[in-house]
Amino acid sequence: MPTTSHQREHYGLRYMMASAPAMRRLKRGNNSRLHGSKNWGAAFLLMEYLSQHPLPPNRSVLDVGCGWGLAGLYCRKRFNSAVTASDADPAVFPYLQAQADINDLTIDTEVWRFTDVPGDALAAADTLIASDICFWDDMAEEVYQLIARAVEAGCGRILIADPGRPPFLAVAEACIEDFYAELVPVRAYTSRPHRGYVLRIENA
C-alpha cells in the first residue's frame, strides 16, 4: 500500500522509489556503476517466497549483489536475521542505508564482488540470498562459482531470485544437476505483478 507518493509498503517493509526526493538527492552526487539505480523486481519474488517459507529467526543471512537491499532488509525485519549485505559497487550503500533508516533497521555492508566473497563469510552464513544478479551472459560463470563455493563452505541454504533471464536459467540448470537444486516458480504483487523463479539449494 502507498505511504506517500514516493514510498510503498509491501511484505511489511517500507521502501522508497527511485523518484523519492531523498533518492534523487543521492543520485546527483553518487551514481552507481553497476545497475544499482532502483529497486529491482526479483527482490519481491524473494520476499514472497520467504513469506511462504520463513527462515528460522535470529540466524545469519548473506545478501550478495544487494543493490538497494530490500531482500536483506526484509530478512532483518521479518526474521531478526543478522544480515551482511555485499555488493561490488559501494555507491549502492547510501541508498540501502536510506531504506534501512525508514524502517529503523541496521545492516552490515561489505564491498565484495562475487569472486571476492570470503570463504569464512560463506561458511558463517546460515542462508545466502540474492536477487537479479545474473542478467548478462558473462555473469553466469561467476554466479555458478559463487554458489559452488557456498555449497562447499557449508552454507545451509541458498536462495536466488530472478525473473527468468537466460543466463540465470543456465545457472539453475547446472545447479539442478550438480547440487540437487530446485527451481520454484513465484509470483509477487506490489504496484505491479512480478513473475519469475527462486533457485533453492538446501545444503544439509
Side-chain angles (χ1 to χ4, degrees):
M1 58 177 291
T3 53
T4 74
S5 60
H6 300 292
Q7 289 187 19
R8 302 288 186 271
E9 182 173 339
H10 292 98
Y11 300 101
L13 186 74
R14 296 176 67 191
Y15 59 96
M16 286 185 279
M17 310 294 287
S19 60
M23 298 312 211
R24 293 174 66 183
R25 284 193 296 271
L26 285 172
K27 284 185 177 183
R28 284 199 288 268
N30 186 33
N31 293 322
S32 171
R33 298 177 287 106
L34 298 173
H35 299 278
S37 57
K38 62 179 182 178
N39 299 302
W40 287 89
F44 299 109
L45 298 176
L46 197 51
M47 286 188 269
E48 173 63 27
Y49 176 86
L50 289 170
S51 73
Q52 302 297 322
H53 304 86
L55 298 179
N58 308 312
R59 302 291 181 87
S60 60
V61 171
L62 176 59
D63 182 5
V64 295
C66 64
W68 287 13
L70 294 190
L73 291 169
Y74 173 79
C75 292
R76 179 72 178 129
K77 187 167 188 176
R78 174 68 177 79
F79 310 116
N80 197 35
S81 304
V83 179
T84 298
S86 70
D87 202 283
D89 186 359
V92 303
F93 295 141
Y95 301 96
L96 186 157
Q97 186 61 54
Q99 306 280 38
D101 288 345
I102 63 172
N103 288 280
D104 296 319
L105 298 174
T106 58
I107 195 167
D108 294 329
T109 58
E110 296 284 354
V111 182
W112 291 331
R113 301 185 66 86
F114 300 147
T115 53
D116 298 334
V117 179
D120 58 355
L122 296 171
D126 295 298
T127 301
L128 183 151
I129 64 170
S131 54
D132 283 307
I133 65 166
C134 198
F135 43 86
W136 289 332
D137 289 343
D138 61 2
M139 301 176 79
E141 180 62 24
E142 286 192 4
V143 171
Y144 174 84
Q145 292 299 330
L146 172 66
I147 293 169
R149 292 176 57 228
V151 169
E152 183 177 3
C155 179
R157 181 182 290 110
I158 299 166
L159 302 170
I160 301 179
D162 192 89
R165 300 178 183 91
F168 168 81
L169 293 176
V171 170
E173 183 177 355
C175 290
I176 290 168
E177 181 174 346
D178 295 344
F179 309 124
Y180 305 101
E182 184 178 1
L183 193 60
V184 183
V186 181
R187 293 186 179 185
Y189 297 90
T190 58
S191 54
R192 63 184 182 86
H194 306 274
R195 298 179 182 179
Y197 303 91
V198 169
L199 178 66
R200 177 177 66 198
I201 299 172
E202 297 290 341
N203 190 28

